[in-house]
Amino acid sequence: MTFHTLGAKNNPAVLLIHGMMCTWKSCEPYGRYLADEYYVIMPTLDGHGMDSTDLLPLEGEVDKIAAYLKENGITSLALVQGSSMGAEIALAVIKRLTEENIPFECGFLDGGPFFHFNPIFRGFMHKKFKSLVKIFDTDDHEAAYNAMMNHPFLKFLAKGKAKQYEPLIRAMSQERRHFSKKTVGNMVNICYKYDLPSFSEDIQKRLVFFFSNEEPARKSRKRLIKAYPAASYHDIEGYAHCGYQAASPGEYAGMLKRAVLYPETI
């Protein structure tokens, strides 16, 4: 796992966790708008960058993030934000923060697929993910970009709004990356075998679950409301899965800043 930062370290810290098959670069467009007020920490998860690692099971990724915070003297976080699979990791990071009495102001979970599906479905998704990750194992970045933009899985997520993903897919396809068998297996388990941690009412009130009305991940909302009735839930029209952050990073960053101060109003 590698880490990139923006902003002054003496500012309040925020943690931004990218989604599946992305890197820290997918967080940078809105992270830059946060850097005037915050110290922005953006990891690249194991198995996703150029460091020859494999994505670990959920707790292993949380361990590495927690170790980085400790080693770098980060004793509180204003915001823990995660996108898609990164939202699931972010929620597990928040659980770790509460266990270690590390304060945080807001958890902003964007498009997280907080599902726990059966092995048959997970096996089906494993085949889908194996097909997807092969796209990026090439030095032809334009071919990788075009293949991803036209892939059936992206079209399923985009619901006719694939253009919103152009900056994100460009960032994803800039470097040749190999996703190992172990990485793909742990992607599937994190996304589709997720056990929701328990939180006190006070912690729940600091959580914001954010979805597009049309995205498939929103189907986990009912499960989330049952587990976290005191959390805030916000839906947005006109965007695909995590499309708002990709299409309008400045506006998205403004919403994150408001969420730090008033999570219940988002």
Side-chain angles (χ1 to χ4, degrees):
M1 187 179 293
T2 58
F3 292 83
H4 288 78
T5 62
L6 295 169
K9 194 172 182 179
N10 60 338
N11 283 336
V14 301
L15 175 67
L16 311 180
I17 305 177
H18 65 78
M20 184 180 71
M21 294 185 292
C22 298
T23 68
W24 72 277
K25 292 178 182 179
S26 67
C27 302
E28 184 183 25
Y30 56 94
R32 285 188 284 107
Y33 288 98
L34 298 173
D36 59 338
E37 297 180 33
Y38 298 102
Y39 181 57
V40 182
I41 302 167
M42 300 171 290
T44 292
L45 299 171
D46 287 318
H48 284 68
M50 308 296 289
D51 54 357
S52 301
T53 56
D54 298 312
L55 182 69
L56 299 175
L58 179 64
E59 286 302 314
E61 294 298 298
V62 173
D63 286 343
K64 289 197 173 184
I65 292 171
Y68 176 88
L69 296 177
K70 184 175 182 180
E71 290 166 5
N72 287 272
I74 308 298
T75 57
S76 66
L77 288 167
L79 174 71
V80 181
Q81 184 271 347
S83 304
S84 194
M85 185 183 78
E88 296 170 294
I89 295 172
L91 194 63
V93 168
I94 289 168
K95 181 62 175 177
R96 182 68 61 85
L97 297 178
T98 64
E99 291 170 347
E100 298 184 0
N101 295 315
I102 299 173
F104 78 99
E105 297 300 322
C106 176
F108 194 95
L109 300 315
D110 186 347
F114 293 97
F115 298 114
H116 196 298
F117 286 128
N118 62 47
I120 295 174
F121 182 85
R122 295 199 302 272
F124 172 76
M125 293 309 299
H126 191 277
K127 291 179 181 179
K128 291 289 184 183
F129 287 0
K130 280 176 66 178
S131 168
L132 272 173
V133 299
K134 289 179 182 178
I135 288 173
F136 301 102
D137 200 355
T138 177
D139 291 320
D140 189 337
H141 308 318
E142 191 65 23
Y145 167 79
N146 289 327
M148 189 63 191
M149 288 296 295
N150 291 291
H151 197 280
F153 187 71
L154 181 69
K155 291 182 179 180
F156 170 71
L157 289 178
K159 304 296 184 185
K161 300 178 178 67
K163 189 174 179 63
Q164 293 175 2
Y165 289 106
E166 286 184 354
L168 176 62
I169 303 303
R170 285 287 181 196
M172 290 171 68
S173 57
Q174 284 177 355
E175 298 172 309
R176 180 174 193 158
R177 291 181 292 150
H178 172 73
F179 294 86
S180 69
K181 182 178 179 180
K182 183 177 179 181
T183 291
V184 174
N186 283 326
M187 283 178 183
V188 172
N189 285 335
I190 292 173
C191 287
Y192 301 123
K193 192 182 177 183
Y194 197 83
D195 295 320
L196 294 173
S198 60
F199 293 114
S200 68
E201 182 176 344
D202 175 63
I203 297 299
Q204 290 180 38
K205 289 179 178 179
R206 303 181 204 176
L207 303 179
V208 179
F209 292 94
F210 183 77
F211 295 102
S212 162
N213 275 334
E214 300 177 35
E215 69 173 301
R218 189 182 181 277
K219 293 180 180 179
S220 67
R221 197 174 187 267
K222 185 175 180 179
R223 183 180 186 226
L224 290 166
I225 291 173
K226 183 177 179 180
Y228 311 127
S232 297
Y233 297 87
H234 185 77
D235 298 334
I236 192 168
E237 292 277 0
Y239 293 91
H241 174 66
C242 296
Y244 186 38
Q245 60 175 258
S248 303
E251 292 179 15
Y252 186 78
M255 182 174 63
L256 294 180
K257 288 181 179 181
R258 294 194 301 274
V260 172
L261 299 175
Y262 310 107
E264 72 281 357
T265 66
I266 298 300

